[in-house]
Amino acid sequence: MRLEDVWLRYRRRGPWVLRATDVRVGPGEVVVVLGRNGVGKSTLLQVAAGVLRPSRGRVTDRPRHVGWVPERFPADQPFTVERYLAAMGRVAGLDPLATARAVDHWTDRLGLAGFRRVRLPELSKGTAQKVGLAQAMLRPPGLLVLDEPWEGLDAATRELVPAVIDEVSAAGGSVLVSDHRGEIARLPGARRWTVADGVVTEGAPPADEAVAVVEVAVPAARVAGAVARLRAEGHHILRVRPDASAPPDLAEGTSAATVEIGAAEPIGPAGGGAR
Ligand SMILES: Nc1ncnc2c1ncn2[C@@H]1O[C@H](COP(=O)(O)OP(=O)(O)OP(=O)(O)O)[C@@H](O)[C@H]1O
């Protein structure tokens, strides 16, 4: 898919949010869209997904089936989870049997089985986000567009997002995902687009900026200090979790915790790849 000289503004004579954007994403590729708050990441994703039409320019070779996960799932709809997903399956062109199978699969996989009879407005934000992800995946998408998909999700589901992205790309689909939390560390093979001043810069990260996630077990009593030191060194803390598998006699803590890090800024070549 290619965005060819795409310009976008929300109203006539308003400021251009996107200017002369010319980027492409191929089958099986994952692109993370980066940039400051309000810079135009969502706008770019909506143009790519076909939710917004460019003011100028065009989008070519967009795959026929697009999965679109907005930053906020519009939960103010009077359906139960089950009925909403069934309707979305039909909208995606699935027959009733395929729809039922897909709804079963994704509600189980995303931990939504207990919410099938719950109405959308009664869901927590995180659960509603999962419904947003489920509807996008009912039919395997040729293009999956995810706007800040980690926002509001519980830790277990956050782990699932990279797995879902990998599946789509392994099946030959393209994936665009915006990220302002540093979760890109979970997608080490992804390309990046950076949005700044209305301009989208395309380019794979140089080899010395390769990203890895490192899990570090520390005594529970020392977590705060370890997190502070890692942050001071420029690493990005993805999460801290209790580590039930740690040996009980680990140093002075009665229990241990695992600190998972990536880095916000590149560190030197001796940095062992952790960013
Ligand atoms: N529907 C709209 N009408 C008018 N202006 C809008 C609309 N949606 C977004 N904008 C403006 O367009 C610009 C880019 O917004 P956009 O939501 O694309 O940025 P973003 O990088 O995704 O931000 P964030 O990281 O906060 O989600 C902002 O100045 C925003 O105020």
Side-chain angles (χ1 to χ4, degrees):
M1 183 186 65
R2 180 171 172 195
L3 276 62
E4 288 182 32
D5 193 26
V6 162
W7 295 62
L8 187 131
R9 58 183 168 192
Y10 282 95
R11 53 180 195 281
R12 278 186 75 184
R13 303 209 175 86
W16 290 107
V17 177
L18 297 176
R19 292 184 285 128
T21 297
D22 211 316
V23 284
R24 67 175 79 209
V25 55
E29 287 187 333
V30 179
V31 178
V32 178
V33 178
L34 302 165
R36 284 182 291 108
N37 280 353
V39 83
K41 300 182 296 296
S42 292
T43 303
L44 176 70
L45 294 185
Q46 288 177 68
V47 170
V51 176
L52 282 176
R53 191 187 300 221
S55 312
R56 296 185 198 161
R58 59 187 191 142
V59 180
T60 55
D61 299 328
R62 184 189 284 120
R64 248 181 71 199
H65 187 63
V66 178
W68 160 239
V69 183
E71 190 172 4
R72 274 170 201 279
F73 175 73
D76 53 343
Q77 306 177 70
F79 310 108
T80 62
V81 168
E82 196 170 74
R83 290 199 57 191
Y84 169 77
L85 290 176
M88 294 308 285
R90 288 196 295 278
V91 168
L94 297 176
D95 65 40
L97 185 61
T99 296
R101 284 202 184 123
V103 171
D104 286 350
H105 175 78
W106 285 102
T107 50
D108 284 350
R109 184 136 181 229
L110 296 175
L112 289 167
F115 296 91
R116 289 177 65 132
R117 303 277 163 81
V118 178
R119 288 181 189 278
L120 297 179
E122 290 158 28
L123 300 175
S124 69
K125 183 178 179 231
T127 307
Q129 288 298 96
K130 291 189 209 176
V131 177
L133 184 56
Q135 61 79 25
M137 291 301 300
L138 289 174
R139 180 170 190 162
L143 170 67
L144 177 64
V145 182
L146 303 151
D147 197 353
E148 303 286 354
W150 290 278
E151 217 49 49
L153 290 183
D154 55 75
T157 317
R158 277 207 300 276
E159 296 287 316
L160 267 177
V161 173
V164 169
I165 289 174
D166 281 349
E167 269 175 40
V168 172
S169 84
S174 308
V175 182
L176 297 183
V177 52
S178 64
D179 174 37
H180 78 261
R181 294 163 46 105
E183 302 272 359
I184 186 177
R186 294 182 194 274
L187 302 170
R191 291 164 55 202
R192 301 177 191 195
W193 292 348
T194 301
V195 188
D197 299 324
V199 176
V200 183
T201 314
E202 181 175 12
D208 65 352
E209 283 189 25
V211 172
V213 175
V214 180
E215 286 191 312
V216 183
V218 298
R222 292 196 194 165
V223 168
V227 165
R229 272 196 305 282
L230 288 163
R231 284 215 171 103
E233 286 174 16
H235 299 293
H236 183 79
I237 305 297
L238 294 177
R239 66 171 178 159
V240 176
R241 64 176 163 86
D243 188 352
S245 64
D249 59 347
L250 194 89
E252 71 232 44
T254 50
S255 61
T258 299
V259 180
E260 194 176 299
I261 58 172
E265 302 298 332
I267 55 176
R275 298 192 50 230

